[in-house]
Amino acid sequence: MAADAAEEIRGTAHGTAPVPLSVLDLVTVGAGYTASDALRTSVRIARLAESRGFHRYWVAEHHSMPGVASSSPAVILAHLAAHTDRIRLGSGGVMLPNHAPLVIAEQFGTLEAMAPGRIDLGLGRAPGTDGATAAALRRTERLHEGADDFPQQLAELIRFLDDRFPDGHPYGRIHAVPGPVQATSPGGVQSPHRPPVWLLGSSGFSARLAGTLGLPFAFAHHFSAQNTVPALDLYRESFRPSAVLDAPHTLIGVSALAADDEREARRQVLAAALNMVRLRTGRPGLVPTPEEAEAYDFSPVERDFVTSWNANVVHGTPDEVRAGLDLLQKRTGADELMLTANAHGPGVRLRSYELIADAYGLPTPA
């Protein structure tokens, strides 16, 4: 990859942040709100993030979860592209085994044509849902095959993105459009950009694969915190320089919520934790209100889960959140931090990103 393309991967820190800050959006739907409300909030957060100097805005693929309206990242990203001008937009991630590689190449080629030089393609190998829903998505009950075939699917996707299959390959005459083939047609002009591919993971498999291929790696610290440092170490140990990167580049997803006072932050993260309790026990629903969470009778097992879960949510006043994020970045050596604010109300999430931007001295709109 050319030097300017590699620069699309590496961001520049703004204000006093030690590394670039970004946003991971689950398009959260709280009790009393609709998916339309959640999507409008996503636009508001994306525009706030752009105006304050956040580097990326990624959307995660999830399915069959009432409180998460991000089942179609490509569709949401197209909507966000129409409402922003500069911030990088991407998937955090698209779950590759759920889709044909050609379809993803076409979707993200279209997004790149809509927002040239601003699109990231983050890929995961998990289903982003439960087994039954994954079977409905993939039209097969042999779910392990999708994960086992991930390296082959990834190689196929990259070949479609680059329009570069070897001679004699059965897909050699198939082209992802929009894509490089248009530059080789009469009168064609080569696009200067191709969406950078990131590998996402919550264990060592994708860490090792990303390192071996010399790709940037994003780790899901927000739900697999105990594996963060081992996975990042494995990625760095496995890294081989490539045409994409000459050195490892890491990003970690972090649950972070700032509020004007510490008590309010605790109330909000308790509601998000109750939502996770219900999800993990097969009762997914809308994100409850803080009042509902405070009135909920947690069992001892549930209380232990909440304590463990919230120990990895950086929350509190803006100064407390900044201190927690700085400590986490120093401990992990992450090159970027991607923040996700899971809370019941749209205003709470917007305020959190605004407070964090203020804490780091990120630029304010003119």
Side-chain angles (χ1 to χ4, degrees), residues 126-145:
T129 188
D130 61 89
T133 306
L137 285 164
R138 302 176 190 179
R139 309 305 297 169
T140 178
E141 294 182 359
R142 297 187 297 274
L143 301 182
H144 67 280
E145 291 184 3

Side-chain angles (χ1 to χ4, degrees), residues 48-248:
L48 170 69
E50 179 172 80
S51 71
R52 298 303 305 270
F54 286 80
H55 185 46
R56 310 179 197 275
Y57 196 100
W58 283 6
V59 179
E61 177 184 345
H62 292 85
H63 300 277
S64 196
M65 299 179 188
V68 179
S70 57
S71 58
S72 301
V75 176
I76 297 170
L77 292 171
H79 185 57
L80 296 177
H83 288 85
T84 56
D85 299 308
R86 300 177 309 279
I87 194 168
R88 295 196 64 83
L89 302 170
S91 55
V94 164
M95 301 298 117
L96 178 54
N98 292 347
H99 312 275
L102 176 58
V103 171
I104 297 177
E106 290 175 332
Q107 289 177 344
F108 278 77
T110 302
L111 287 167
E112 181 61 43
M114 290 177 175
R118 292 207 288 140
I119 301 301
D120 298 323
L121 174 51
L123 300 166
R125 71 185 187 106
T129 188
D130 61 89
T133 306
L137 285 164
R138 302 176 190 179
R139 309 305 297 169
T140 178
E141 294 182 359
R142 297 187 297 274
L143 301 182
H144 67 280
E145 291 184 3
D148 293 344
D149 292 344
F150 183 79
Q152 291 73 33
Q153 293 174 317
L154 174 63
E156 182 180 309
L157 171 57
I158 290 174
R159 285 173 173 156
F160 275 125
L161 288 170
D162 292 334
D163 199 46
R164 192 176 297 165
F165 281 94
D167 292 342
H169 194 283
Y171 294 162
R173 297 174 62 87
I174 300 173
H175 309 285
V177 178
V181 68
Q182 292 166 313
T184 64
S185 301
V189 178
Q190 178 66 52
S191 170
H193 301 284
R194 191 268 263 168
V197 170
W198 290 68
L199 292 195
L200 280 60
S202 58
S203 64
F205 181 93
S206 291
R208 187 185 299 276
L209 182 60
T212 301
L213 297 177
L215 296 174
F217 178 59
F219 187 82
H221 175 83
H222 54 297
F223 65 79
S224 189
Q226 71 277 10
N227 292 325
T228 302
V229 171
L232 295 185
D233 286 346
L234 180 60
Y235 167 67
R236 293 171 182 133
E237 292 165 3
S238 304
F239 187 84
R240 301 292 181 270
S242 69
V244 177
L245 288 173
D246 57 7

